[in-house]
């Protein structure tokens, strides 16, 4: 699979800006040719919607956005013209097939083509100039670790940094044949030596590792993939076993990328759309539940209604989870006293008849009402509707390498282990196995299936304590 598969996801901002240009151009062409847009009839309102859908279709199925940041301004004009020709061709084809071409002003449609070509070109040019000057927001970049030898590290860095606006940031360098830890190369810190690579990735936020070392790749790949980190290896490095491998471009290098899971762009877009819709519905329900349960929680245990706690998200990102508080305020302090009664074998804590739970807490836990405020985390993008259970910081500190693979995706409100026994599962290794099973076999149909199962489990109050 090639880099084309992901070019749309990297340049979704250009797709959205083009969508705005299409809408503005249509309204301007209508105003110039036909008058006040407030008097627009149903036929042109429908055409407006069709225009937007056609643009999305062209953007989705044609590869006109691949390499957009590397194109010169003349080539960009050509691409914009091709894009608009495709839109116009599809529009006229649709009108011909439904025999409605006489309903619309041909002059207005030609004006739309001209206006949209000019506007789209100007907006793309301004956006590209801004990105090239200011790079990409560091928060949204993938954090990359470079592993290379002394004689090649500066050359590789120069190429990687040249395209740093393209969606990643070089977070650190590892020099294999010399311990340069604490120094910097081309402004990038040397964070570890060859013996410390795995430990560094385990304890820091790293999304992907670029291995520019032919003879050392086998030394790191298995451990990195086990932790759920994407690995880039120069294509000349022959690797015998790389799950979900596909060919991509990272800066000027062609690499084979391997990761524990590899959802397509369409899957990621649809999953995020499901998250947003589900979160909005969930937050409406949460507001109703707040009105009912907030006074009861406060009366039984004066203090905040919501419980907030730092949790670990995708590849080690920290976020603050929200729940309806079901325990007394000193619950975390008392946890140490109760560790001997922990019925989980591994890095999680659960016990029967937990004395830290307030009276109403048992009910809201049994019915999973305490989980509803997490729909805010889903809306914000920290979590997904379906994923892995978000671990606490102290749990992650105790992880072995293979446990970290649970962090390869966003945590979820529900997941494979939640619908496979929830509190009945007392072996942490079984939780890890089920989470990895979900990650490796991800599909949208599996998400729908797990959501459906979750609803029935919650309604049946099974394993929710």
């Amino acid at each position: 699979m090639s880099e084309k598969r992901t070019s749309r996801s990297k340049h979704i901002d250009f797709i959205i800006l083009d969508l705005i240009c299409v809408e503005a151009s249509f309204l301007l062409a209508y105003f110039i040719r036909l008058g006040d847009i407030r008097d627009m009839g149903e036929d042109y309102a429908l055409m407006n919607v069709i225009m937007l859908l056609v643009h999305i279709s062209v953007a989705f199925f044609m590869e006109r956005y691949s390499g957009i940041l590397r194109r010169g301004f003349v080539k960009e004009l050509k691409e914009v013209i091709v894009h608009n020709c495709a839109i116009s061709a599809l529009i006229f084809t649709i009108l011909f097939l439904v025999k409605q071409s006489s309903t619309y002003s041909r002059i207005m449609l030609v004006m739309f083509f001209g206006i949209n070509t000019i506007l789209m070109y100007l907006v793309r040019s301004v956006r590209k100039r801004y990105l090239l000057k200011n790079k990409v927001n560091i928060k949204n970049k993938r954090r990359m670790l470079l592993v290379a030898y002394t004689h090649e590290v500066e050359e590789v860095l120069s190429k990687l940094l040249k395209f740093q606006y393209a969606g990643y940031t070089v977070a650190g360098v590892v020099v294999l044949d010399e311990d340069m830890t604490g120094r910097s190369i081309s402004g990038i810190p040397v964070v570890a030596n060859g013996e410390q690579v795995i430990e560094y990735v385990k304890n820091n936020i790293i999304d992907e590792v670029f291995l520019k070392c032919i003879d050392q790749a086998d030394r790191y790949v298995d451990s990195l993939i086990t932790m759920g980190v994407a690995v880039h290896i120069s294509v000349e490095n022959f690797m015998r076993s790389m799950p979900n491998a596909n060919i991509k471009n990272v800066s000027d290098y062609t690499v084979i990328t391997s990761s524990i899971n590899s959802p397509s762009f369409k899957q990621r877009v649809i999953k995020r759309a499901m998250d947003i819709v589900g979160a909005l519905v969930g937050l409406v329900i949460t507001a109703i539940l707040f009105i009912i349960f907030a006074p009861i929680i406060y009366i039984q245990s004066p203090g905040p209604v919501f419980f907030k706690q730092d949790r670990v998200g995708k590849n080690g990102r920290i976020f603050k989870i929200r729940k309806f508080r079901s325990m007394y305020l000193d619950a975390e302090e008392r946890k140490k006293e109760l560790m001997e009664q922990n019925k989980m074998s591994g890095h999680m804590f659960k016990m029967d008849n937990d004395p830290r739970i307030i009276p109403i807490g048992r009910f809201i836990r049994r019915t999973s009402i305490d989980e509803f405020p997490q729909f805010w985390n889903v809306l914000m993008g920290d979590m997904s509707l379906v994923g892995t259970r978000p671990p606490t910081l102290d749990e992650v500190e105790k992880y072995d390498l293979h446990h970290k693979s649970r962090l390869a995706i966003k945590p979820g409100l529900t997941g494979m282990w939640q619908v496979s026994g929830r509190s009945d599962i007392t072996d942490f290794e079984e939780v890890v196995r089920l989470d990895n099973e979900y990650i490796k076999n991800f599909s949208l149909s599996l998400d729908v299936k797990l959501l459906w199962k979750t609803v029935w489990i919650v309604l049946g109050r099974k394993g929710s304590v």
Side-chain angles (χ1 to χ4, degrees), residues 177-360:
D177 54 343
E178 183 179 352
D179 191 352
M180 300 175 62
T181 307
R183 296 162 61 181
S184 64
I185 302 174
S186 300
I188 305 299
V190 179
V191 297
N193 57 41
E195 301 299 325
Q196 301 167 335
V197 173
I198 303 303
E199 192 65 21
Y200 180 83
V201 174
K202 178 183 176 183
N203 296 315
N204 293 271
I205 300 174
I206 295 294
D207 298 302
E208 48 197 60
V209 175
F210 188 101
L211 296 176
K212 188 63 176 70
C213 44
I214 297 175
D215 58 334
Q216 295 289 330
D218 286 324
R219 178 181 178 186
Y220 303 116
V221 170
D222 288 343
S223 295
L224 292 171
I225 293 176
T226 297
M227 288 191 289
V229 176
V231 181
H232 304 299
I233 304 173
S234 297
V235 73
E236 65 268 19
N237 298 330
F238 177 75
M239 299 303 298
R240 288 172 292 180
S241 178
M242 295 184 70
N244 299 312
N246 56 82
I247 304 227
K248 299 178 68 174
N249 292 321
V250 177
S251 185
D252 288 340
Y253 295 96
T254 300
V255 298
I256 300 174
T257 300
S258 177
S259 60
I260 192 172
N261 74 323
S262 186
S264 68
F265 171 70
K266 295 178 186 178
Q267 288 175 319
R268 294 197 300 272
V269 169
I270 296 173
K271 183 176 176 68
R272 182 57 185 151
M274 290 170 58
D275 286 346
I276 293 173
V277 173
L280 291 174
V281 174
L283 287 173
V284 172
I285 300 174
T286 302
I288 298 172
L289 294 173
F290 179 84
I291 295 172
I292 298 171
F293 290 99
I296 302 174
I297 294 171
Y298 185 80
I299 291 171
Q300 293 188 354
S301 176
V305 173
F306 293 108
F307 169 73
K308 299 178 182 179
Q309 186 184 46
D310 286 338
R311 292 292 181 97
V312 182
K314 183 176 179 181
N315 287 332
R317 288 169 173 80
I318 309 300
F319 69 97
K320 201 168 289 293
I321 202 171
R322 291 166 172 80
K323 294 185 178 184
F324 282 122
R325 185 164 61 87
S326 61
M327 291 185 172
Y328 293 102
L329 293 177
D330 62 348
E332 285 300 307
E333 289 76 11
R334 296 172 62 187
K335 179 179 176 181
K336 296 179 181 179
E337 305 170 6
L338 301 169
M339 286 303 294
E340 291 184 359
Q341 302 180 54
N342 183 14
K343 67 178 186 177
M344 291 291 294
S345 64
H347 307 310
M348 290 170 61
F349 178 84
K350 277 187 178 293
M351 67 172 290
D352 296 323
N353 302 315
D354 194 330
R356 302 173 299 162
I357 301 177
I358 62 178
I360 191 62

Side-chain angles (χ1 to χ4, degrees), residues 132 135 157-165 168 251-252:
L132 295 175
K135 312 300 184 187
L157 270 178
S158 67
K159 293 181 178 179
L160 292 176
L161 295 175
K162 177 182 178 182
F163 294 101
Q164 200 168 358
Y165 55 80
Y168 62 85
S251 185
D252 288 340

Side-chain angles (χ1 to χ4, degrees), residues 131-148:
L131 289 177
L132 295 175
K133 183 178 179 180
N134 299 288
K135 312 300 184 187
V136 178
N137 188 333
I138 189 73
K139 180 181 177 181
N140 298 321
K141 289 183 178 182
R142 306 184 304 277
R143 291 175 59 83
M144 179 187 292
L145 179 69
L146 169 64
V147 181

